[in-house]
Amino acid sequence: MTDLVQTGVRRHADWMAQPDDRLLEHLLLEGVRRRFQLREEFAERDLHYPDKYLEFRLEKLREYGLVSRRQNGAYAITDDGRAYLAGELVPDGESVGSRA
C-alpha cells in the first residue's frame, strides 16, 4: 500500500490498533468497500486479517466516527477519518477528539 503524504503527524488514541490506519488509508484511496472486498484487497498485498477482526476494527472506527457504514453493509471514510489521516484530528478515548 502506498504511503500517503501527510500534512501533520497522526496521534493515535489508546483504542486504536495497527490495521486502523491501513483501513482508513485504503478507504480514502479506493472508496467505499464492503468487508469482504477489504479482506481480498488486503490479501493481495500479503496483509491477512481474519474477517471477524476486520469487522471488529471497522465497527470500532465507526464507533469513533472515522468511518460510516451504509445500508448495504459497505464502509466509507468520513470527514473526521480524513482529518485524522491528515494529522488534523486526534481521536480520543471517548469520542472523536478535538481538532489540532
Side-chain angles (χ1 to χ4, degrees):
M1 203 171 290
T2 307
D3 289 332
L4 297 176
V5 176
Q6 298 177 17
T7 59
V9 177
R10 293 179 198 160
R11 294 180 48 205
H12 297 99
D14 290 341
W15 59 265
M16 295 185 85
Q18 183 268 337
D20 293 348
D21 280 8
R22 288 179 176 164
L23 287 165
L24 291 168
E25 289 170 351
H26 195 77
L27 290 171
L28 178 68
L29 293 172
E30 302 298 331
V32 177
R33 290 289 189 267
R34 289 183 174 204
R35 192 176 68 235
F36 78 89
Q37 291 172 302
L38 289 166
R39 186 186 68 240
E40 290 172 359
E41 291 165 353
F42 278 16
E44 290 172 4
R45 294 174 173 85
D46 273 341
L47 299 171
H48 302 282
Y49 298 112
D51 197 47
K52 286 289 186 184
Y53 186 67
L54 281 178
E55 178 180 22
F56 178 77
R57 294 311 320 156
L58 287 163
E59 285 301 309
K60 187 61 80 171
L61 291 168
R62 187 176 71 83
E63 178 183 337
Y64 287 95
L66 301 180
V67 301
S68 62
R69 187 178 64 215
R70 302 203 171 165
Q71 282 187 320
N72 66 358
Y75 290 87
I77 191 167
T78 63
D79 289 341
D80 281 343
R82 287 182 192 84
Y84 163 75
L85 288 177
E88 299 169 354
L89 180 109
V90 179
D92 65 21
E94 298 190 4
S95 63
V96 174
S98 59
R99 296 200 183 262

